[in-house]
Amino acid sequence: MAYTDAVLGRMVDELSTRGDLSATLLAVVGDHGEGLGEHGEMTHSLLIYNSTLHVPMLLRGPGLVPAGRVVPDLVRIIDLAPTLLDYLDLSPAHGEGVSLRSLIERNQPDVPPGGGMVAYSESLYPQVKLGWSALRGLETRDYRMIMAPRPELYGLRADPGETANLLTAEPEVYREITRGGDLASVLRRPS
């Protein structure tokens, strides 16, 4: 973190010295977290719990992005490019993701038809490197589901550390999350 802060600081200082900082849209996003022992994982790559998936996403754009705004909602890195293009009044190329601009500015997400934001995650490391099963997951505002040899379901509001598997207690939630089209079929792919 200290190294990243130092490098980012030098870049911001250079933009400021050149007089370009006020006309620059900056985005800083983490690529992964670290397990630090949660769920028995000391680093990252193996498991797909939020200890390694939730990362910072910071935007700065004077006159564009509201200063000091914190968005507590579920967002995805795949939404960064459409968001930046929206702020720059550029049309997005074909691709996935949605602009987070309305969520940032008015707390109104532009979500796909049919409901709230759903984030997909996967780790192929267990399959490729260890001969185990691949892991695939879906997260909504309230739940995280992990498709594994023994599926897992967590209620994120009451259990943000993902410690109590609710699959047996709340099978209807599991069915609701997995009943959709494309994402559900991705999760059912053979490992």
Side-chain angles (χ1 to χ4, degrees), residues 79-148:
D79 301 322
L80 180 61
T83 302
L84 296 176
L85 290 169
D86 191 3
Y87 272 110
L88 297 172
D89 291 324
L90 298 172
S91 297
H94 298 288
E96 297 180 40
V98 296
S99 174
L100 301 172
R101 186 173 183 173
S102 63
L103 178 62
I104 293 166
E105 293 179 358
R106 298 182 300 278
N107 200 28
Q108 297 174 342
D110 289 336
V111 296
M117 183 73 71
V118 176
Y120 172 76
S121 57
E122 69 181 9
S123 176
L124 302 179
Y125 184 91
Q127 181 182 35
V128 173
K129 297 293 186 178
L130 303 171
W132 300 350
S133 176
L135 299 174
R136 293 178 175 83
L138 291 176
E139 182 174 345
T140 66
R141 182 185 65 189
D142 299 324
Y143 292 95
R144 161 167 286 291
M145 183 193 61
I146 298 174
M147 294 302 297

Side-chain angles (χ1 to χ4, degrees), residues 9-177:
R10 286 196 307 267
M11 184 178 74
V12 168
D13 289 345
E14 179 64 25
L15 287 166
S16 182
T17 299
R18 293 177 14 191
D20 293 332
L21 186 59
S22 65
T24 301
L25 178 59
L26 293 173
V28 178
V29 181
D31 63 340
H32 59 77
E34 294 294 334
L36 303 178
E38 293 99 339
H39 302 281
E41 183 174 25
M42 296 308 296
T43 60
H44 64 276
S45 302
L46 183 61
L47 304 176
I48 57 171
Y49 296 102
N50 280 332
S51 56
T52 57
L53 295 178
H54 280 192
V55 296
M57 181 185 293
L58 308 168
L59 300 179
R60 180 192 184 276
L64 291 175
V65 180
R69 173 81 165 101
V70 175
V71 175
D73 298 60
L74 176 66
V75 298
R76 308 164 307 179
I77 293 174
I78 198 169
D79 301 322
L80 180 61
T83 302
L84 296 176
L85 290 169
D86 191 3
Y87 272 110
L88 297 172
D89 291 324
L90 298 172
S91 297
H94 298 288
E96 297 180 40
V98 296
S99 174
L100 301 172
R101 186 173 183 173
S102 63
L103 178 62
I104 293 166
E105 293 179 358
R106 298 182 300 278
N107 200 28
Q108 297 174 342
D110 289 336
V111 296
M117 183 73 71
V118 176
Y120 172 76
S121 57
E122 69 181 9
S123 176
L124 302 179
Y125 184 91
Q127 181 182 35
V128 173
K129 297 293 186 178
L130 303 171
W132 300 350
S133 176
L135 299 174
R136 293 178 175 83
L138 291 176
E139 182 174 345
T140 66
R141 182 185 65 189
D142 299 324
Y143 292 95
R144 161 167 286 291
M145 183 193 61
I146 298 174
M147 294 302 297
R150 287 186 211 125
E152 301 172 40
L153 177 68
Y154 299 98
L156 298 175
R157 291 184 187 247
D159 181 23
E162 300 164 304
T163 59
N165 187 350
L166 301 174
L167 189 65
T168 303
E170 299 190 37
E172 70 284 352
V173 173
Y174 172 82
R175 282 192 299 275
E176 178 67 25
I177 292 172

